[in-house]
Amino acid sequence: MAVAIRDVARQVVANLGLDSGYELAAQWCGQRYAELTARAKFRHLRQYSQVYLPAPINVGTSTITLDNPVVTLDSAALAACQSNQFFGWPDGFTGLFFRPQIGLTWYRIASANQQGGVGTLILETPFAQDNGFLFNQSNPPPTVQTGIPFYIIPRYVQLDPQARQLGVFVCDFMYRPLELVSEDELNRRVAPNRFLVWAYPQFVAELNSNLNLTGQPKQVEIYPWPTQSVTMHYTFWATPKILGIEDYLPPTIDPDIVRSGAMVDACNNRAGKAVRAGNLQEAQYWTNLGNQNETKFNQKVGRAIRNDMGAEDLAFTLQRNGWR
């Protein structure tokens, strides 16, 4: 049976012989729960979610200019961009990536606009000479090349805002999980230039959190980006929330563990008041009592983790495969 935070807070106040402070004790209980569940991957915080990977835009052609950030889209390409319901022309194209289909370098799009029926992409950096092989090899070579097929993709995906630690990523139609690697490993070993746009995503790498918002959500890079729209499922451990006075502890968390932690904060509060009043002997008493409860709290963390686990993953796997 789940226990309410208000009941644990009432026990904290009663155990220390205090006359008041229920709301403050409830805050300490909520904070201690968050501290406890941040020490391990608790099962009750494991969540299941999914994300949609839209197909790239690759209809029509573009006109590019060497050492210039402006890319002009033909009418078919402009129509494909305007009709794409997932990216949202033109504002939604900011932050997407552009690359000629046989090019080597991805360029982030700074902005997109349309004037007089002509669609234009402004890249964050000019189209450089490292893709010069796309131009006619005349002498002298042209600086403008038309009829260039292209890809426009996001490359990065935002996950559930609750996600704190990541688990397994799966594209169901592939019948196997993606390989979770670090961004550095993806850069150094797997695909430094991210050349492929392919039917089957293979790797997922955690990039960062979207600091343009509130530090959430996390972003991951998918490589190769799929040539068709794909649904990707994944598991994650949610950021533990600070419970309020009317919230309930999860059934797998014993209330005495949270109570021991909250008693530490209550003792520290009393010790601080005693110091301000000049009663150092009383302050020492509360400090010692707080240290004792801190030791108890730390000793109980292992029990909290074991209680939350339920069946061991390995034991569960062996049972499913006929082992006893």
Side-chain angles (χ1 to χ4, degrees):
M1 179 178 179
V3 177
I5 288 292
R6 62 177 179 272
D7 294 330
V8 182
R10 189 178 298 111
Q11 294 171 5
V12 170
V13 173
N15 286 0
L16 295 177
L18 305 179
D19 297 326
S20 60
Y22 292 103
E23 292 186 0
L24 189 56
Q27 293 180 24
W28 289 326
C29 290
Q31 292 167 355
R32 282 292 173 163
Y33 163 76
E35 178 187 340
L36 171 67
T37 51
R39 296 193 179 194
K41 293 180 177 179
F42 280 77
R43 300 289 174 83
H44 70 270
L45 293 176
R46 187 161 60 180
Q47 305 291 327
Y48 177 80
S49 189
Q50 62 186 21
V51 66
Y52 176 81
L53 308 180
I57 295 178
N58 57 359
V59 176
T61 62
S62 63
T63 298
I64 55 179
T65 304
L66 275 179
D67 301 319
N68 191 302
V70 178
V71 176
T72 303
L73 306 175
D74 68 8
S75 58
L78 176 60
C81 292
Q82 291 174 326
S83 63
N84 190 287
Q85 58 180 316
F86 304 106
F87 297 150
W89 175 270
D91 294 340
F93 279 66
T94 299
L96 300 182
F97 286 82
F98 169 90
R99 195 198 75 187
Q101 288 190 9
I102 59 171
L104 299 176
T105 306
W106 289 101
Y107 295 89
R108 191 192 296 267
I109 299 172
S111 63
N113 57 72
Q114 172 190 356
Q115 290 185 350
V118 177
T120 301
L121 304 177
I122 308 299
L123 309 179
E124 288 189 355
T125 56
F127 195 87
Q129 292 281 352
D130 51 10
N131 283 287
F133 64 89
L134 296 170
F135 289 69
N136 292 332
Q137 299 303 309
S138 58
N139 191 12
T143 58
V144 179
Q145 184 68 50
T146 61
I148 300 292
F150 62 90
Y151 290 119
I152 295 177
I153 64 172
R155 285 185 62 182
Y156 306 109
V157 176
Q158 294 184 353
L159 303 182
D160 191 294
Q162 300 180 81
R164 186 176 195 177
Q165 295 171 305
L166 305 181
V168 178
F169 289 76
V170 176
C171 292
D172 295 4
F173 79 99
M174 295 169 51
Y175 295 96
R176 65 181 181 85
L178 278 67
E179 183 177 352
L180 183 61
V181 299
S182 69
E183 188 71 15
D184 285 343
E185 187 176 5
L186 195 60
N187 289 333
R188 295 175 180 174
R189 178 183 66 86
V190 178
N193 66 345
R194 313 294 199 273
F195 176 73
L196 290 177
V197 177
W198 196 36
Y200 304 102
Q202 301 291 312
F203 301 94
V204 56
E206 181 181 352
L207 181 66
N208 58 14
S209 295
N210 189 349
L211 301 182
N212 293 327
L213 299 177
T214 59
Q216 299 172 326
K218 284 183 177 294
Q219 296 183 110
V220 293
E221 180 175 1
I222 307 299
Y223 179 78
W225 192 267
T227 53
Q228 61 185 7
S229 59
V230 170
T231 299
M232 181 176 67
H233 295 97
Y234 64 97
T235 57
F236 67 90
W237 282 263
T239 301
K241 68 175 184 178
I242 298 178
L243 301 179
I245 192 170
E246 296 299 329
D247 292 328
Y248 287 82
L249 286 173
T252 57
I253 301 298
D254 294 333
D256 68 291
I257 302 175
V258 174
R259 183 177 66 240
S260 295
M263 288 176 66
V264 177
D265 299 311
C267 290
N268 291 340
N269 176 266
R270 297 294 295 183
K273 291 181 177 180
V275 169
R276 290 198 302 272
N279 193 338
L280 299 183
Q281 185 174 3
E282 181 183 353
Q284 184 63 45
Y285 165 78
W286 288 112
T287 300
N288 291 339
L289 186 58
N291 291 337
Q292 294 173 19
N293 281 285
E294 184 73 53
T295 300
K296 293 179 180 179
F297 175 74
N298 291 327
Q299 290 174 342
K300 295 176 179 179
V301 170
R303 169 158 58 95
I305 296 173
R306 290 192 301 271
N307 290 348
D308 183 75
M309 287 177 63
E312 291 279 0
D313 278 343
L314 181 58
F316 182 71
T317 302
L318 292 177
Q319 288 174 7
R320 289 190 60 188
N321 286 278
W323 293 84
R324 296 291 186 269

